[in-house]
Amino acid sequence: MARLKFGAFLAPHHPIGEHPLLQFRRDLDFVEQIDALGFDEFWCGEHHSSGWEMIASPEMFLAAAGERTKRIKLGTGVISLPYHHPYNVAQRMVQLDWMTGGRAIFGSGPGALASDAHTLGIDPMTQRDRQDEALAIIRRLFKGERVTAKSDWFTMQDAALQLLPLQEEMPCVVASQISPSGMTLAGKYGIGIISLGSMSTQGLMALPTQWGFAEDAAKKAGTTVSRSDWRVLLSWHIAETREQAQREAGPGLMRWHNEYNVRTLQRPGLEPFTSPEDAVEKTAGGENAASTIGTPDDLVKTIKNLMHVSGGVGAIIGFVHDWANPENTRRSWDMVARYVVPEINGYAAKLRESQKFLIENRAVFERAGQAVMAKIMENEKAAAALPLTGPGRVAIPTINAPDLQKEAAKRKA
């Protein structure tokens, strides 16, 4: 089985009221932490309103993160292409790729917040078509082409990048939520996908249908899409016990849902949670819940269920939130790295196999103890010292140690 990649997605979603400077610094600390823990990817987004999402330039944030990390890939999750001139986006991504030593992933979307588009005077009905138009231009620029293009929202004249990406081919990924446009775009260009609508049960169950959109578009365009380039977003908070995880995350989850999703975004059909317990049950309760608030074993079960429902993906991306306090949040991600990733990817399987083989074949290895005893008995002084030798007094691994006290008793008799 192909190993899954693991990453983190920071929108960010920070409650209003904390010092913004400290939030930015804590977010950079977080990237540094998951890089050290061995996570494969980190993503951050672009937003200009709502109060909860403060990163306006993912490229700037990722450039700073690149200086504090060593190996983790850094993805724009996402740049809202209708908000920018395509040439400027291409230039910034190339610079980011060089500044991070070839670790940049170019993630794009049409723009998630209607309030952002309103601020820029953009008609929401044009956003998805403009993303498609801009993406085609940017990919041509990445390949070194000289482009002349004119549309109703940008003009380019003999435009070419004076510096190409450091990577031979910079990974390109599009965001997909509810509509088929993201998946269709991925199929059209044969590029990667990050599914952001999978944090709900409905979104999780819709993944097979969504993948069908990508495959249909790829077939029509004569391209191919690979499940290994499909990233799916999940949310979790992990602790030693379910009760502890629920206690740590419940109040913050309730605040996030009630203040951000219901009160700020006013998403249709959503009702406020009535208590932290209600928040946990409605978010992470049930067999097919897309969120996990519990133990590492619970998250392993969720991921295996996702793989079964979806038919297989290439990466699991965890949604970064402030449901718990910073200390418990850091420990949650640490536990995912220590227990969930190795269980999913089979890193400990051979260790367990080795242990099992030793246990089941103990008799085979008793000859090692016999060999030790034979050498002791060959030496008169060593044999005479047997009565003085007890457990823990000799530096012999217990697997190889003979029963020295038993042998001493024989000598005494």
Side-chain angles (χ1 to χ4, degrees), residues 223-410:
T223 64
T224 59
V225 285
S226 171
R227 287 180 178 270
S228 64
D229 294 325
W230 187 13
R231 299 159 175 87
V232 174
L233 191 68
L234 290 179
S235 57
W236 60 64
H237 179 72
I238 303 303
E240 284 78 2
T241 66
R242 290 181 188 174
E243 294 73 20
Q244 181 181 344
Q246 293 169 3
R247 186 171 60 251
E248 292 173 354
L253 169 59
M254 179 179 174
R255 180 182 181 185
W256 170 73
H257 177 83
N258 291 359
E259 292 190 16
Y260 180 71
N261 292 318
V262 177
R263 182 165 173 257
T264 303
L265 298 185
Q266 300 178 41
R267 288 179 171 162
L270 291 185
E271 295 293 332
F273 294 143
T274 58
S275 67
E277 292 75 20
D278 181 51
V280 170
E281 175 58 30
K282 290 180 178 175
T283 302
E287 283 296 312
N288 291 315
S291 298
T292 302
I293 300 175
T295 66
D297 288 343
D298 293 328
L299 182 54
V300 167
K301 182 180 178 181
T302 298
I303 293 171
K304 288 182 176 180
N305 181 56
L306 181 148
M307 295 297 284
H308 173 72
V309 169
S310 67
V313 304
I316 299 296
I317 308 298
F319 172 58
V320 184
H321 50 71
D322 287 346
W323 296 352
N325 66 34
E327 294 75 24
N328 291 334
T329 298
R330 288 180 65 89
R331 192 177 74 251
S332 171
W333 286 87
D334 179 78
M335 293 187 73
V336 172
R338 289 167 63 194
Y339 303 115
V340 177
V341 174
E343 186 64 29
I344 291 294
N345 284 333
Y347 296 154
K350 294 299 289 184
L351 297 173
R352 292 194 181 102
E353 180 184 316
S354 178
Q355 179 193 37
K356 185 172 182 288
F357 182 81
L358 198 71
I359 293 170
E360 293 179 349
N361 294 273
R362 182 67 184 91
V364 174
F365 305 113
E366 288 180 355
R367 185 166 175 76
Q370 296 169 7
V372 172
M373 183 54 59
K375 286 299 179 183
I376 291 175
M377 300 307 294
E378 287 177 4
N379 187 296
E380 186 175 340
K381 290 183 179 180
L386 275 177
L388 304 177
T389 305
R393 295 181 185 174
V394 289
I396 305 173
T398 53
I399 185 65
N400 294 328
D403 190 336
L404 298 180
Q405 288 184 312
K406 184 177 179 181
E407 294 297 334
K410 287 181 182 178

Side-chain angles (χ1 to χ4, degrees), residues 73 90-104 142 161-171:
K73 297 283 187 178
Q91 287 270 55
R92 294 197 303 265
M93 285 306 305
V94 167
Q95 181 168 334
L96 178 64
D97 199 39
W98 281 91
M99 290 181 68
T100 58
R103 290 188 281 145
F142 283 165
L161 298 176
Q162 62 177 0
L163 186 64
L164 297 181
L166 174 58
Q167 298 176 83
E168 187 172 358
E169 185 171 350
M170 186 187 298

Side-chain angles (χ1 to χ4, degrees), residues 81-96:
L81 295 187
Y83 302 170
H84 308 274
H85 193 294
Y87 186 80
N88 288 335
V89 174
Q91 287 270 55
R92 294 197 303 265
M93 285 306 305
V94 167
Q95 181 168 334
L96 178 64

Side-chain angles (χ1 to χ4, degrees), residues 168-228:
E168 187 172 358
E169 185 171 350
M170 186 187 298
C172 292
V173 176
V174 292
S176 172
Q177 294 198 58
I178 301 171
S179 78
S181 61
M183 285 290 193
T184 300
L185 204 60
K188 178 179 179 179
Y189 293 107
I191 57 179
I193 306 148
I194 182 167
S195 292
L196 305 179
S198 51
M199 290 196 301
S200 67
T201 299
Q202 295 87 346
L204 178 63
M205 302 309 291
L207 288 176
T209 303
Q210 290 282 319
W211 182 250
F213 294 143
E215 288 186 321
D216 290 345
K219 185 176 181 180
K220 183 178 179 180
T223 64
T224 59
V225 285
S226 171
R227 287 180 178 270
S228 64

Side-chain angles (χ1 to χ4, degrees), residues 46 78-83 109-114 116 127-128 131 177:
E46 171 192 359
V78 297
I79 297 175
S80 301
L81 295 187
Y83 302 170
L113 295 180
D116 287 351
Q127 286 177 255
R128 283 157 184 80
Q131 181 196 0
Q177 294 198 58

